[in-house]
Amino acid sequence: AFRWTSGGMVDLGTLGGPVTKAMGVNDAGDVVGASQTGTYLHGFTWTAGTMTNLGDLGGQGSWAYDVNAVGQVVGGSPLGSSDNHAFLWQNGGMQDLGTLGGLDLQWPAISAAYGLNDAGQVVGGSYDASANFHAFLWQNGGMQDLGTLGGDYSSAEAINEDGEVVGTARLAN
């Protein structure tokens, strides 16, 4: 992973393994992503030359996708065997944001958070109880299904300071 400024490209290092990938950066230059720690990738935050392992939700690994101006980080992490949940990392701890209902026994309960704003509103995607992946908005401790454009899929990728959300969705046809 690297960070580039007008001064050039800086190698961010690793968490001990051979692979690191940067995924997001805030206006202060804090970077987030995932770095191999051995067998698994772990989400990291890189601030002023120091890479910090974000840990996980009890499974093996995590991925960090975005960081806001106050240093909150979002991503996804396994809980155990196959479930993967969106998380919000702040003040040194990872909070499980849950899912929109998960799936039946055939599929794991999966959600991931891809973006957040400075107010701590989080967006991403999650499988719902009908086995469809839907965009979500998480705020005030709860996850809201944002629906689709008539099809069976949507995913929210980013949110601005006004709470406007963007993403992708399938049409009915």
Side-chain angles (χ1 to χ4, degrees), residues 31-152:
V31 179
V32 296
S35 179
Q36 198 169 6
T37 59
T39 306
Y40 303 102
L41 292 172
H42 270 198
F44 71 83
T45 182
W46 182 92
T47 303
T50 301
M51 185 177 284
T52 301
N53 186 336
L54 301 181
D56 57 51
L57 290 172
Q60 297 173 331
S62 59
W63 308 266
Y65 294 111
D66 199 15
V67 57
N68 67 12
V70 295
Q72 294 173 307
V73 177
V74 294
S77 175
L79 298 177
S81 60
S82 60
D83 290 356
N84 188 80
H85 282 197
F87 71 78
L88 172 66
W89 184 89
Q90 58 187 344
N91 303 320
M94 190 177 284
Q95 178 182 352
D96 183 345
L97 301 184
T99 71
L100 290 173
L103 299 174
D104 61 22
L105 296 177
Q106 271 183 303
W107 301 97
I110 294 177
S111 66
Y114 304 124
L116 79 162
N117 63 18
D118 293 344
Q121 294 175 298
V122 178
V123 296
S126 173
Y127 281 105
D128 66 9
S130 299
N132 295 313
F133 200 76
H134 280 203
F136 73 76
L137 168 65
W138 183 91
Q139 61 184 349
N140 303 319
M143 188 178 284
Q144 174 186 352
D145 188 335
L146 299 183
T148 69
L149 293 174
D152 61 357

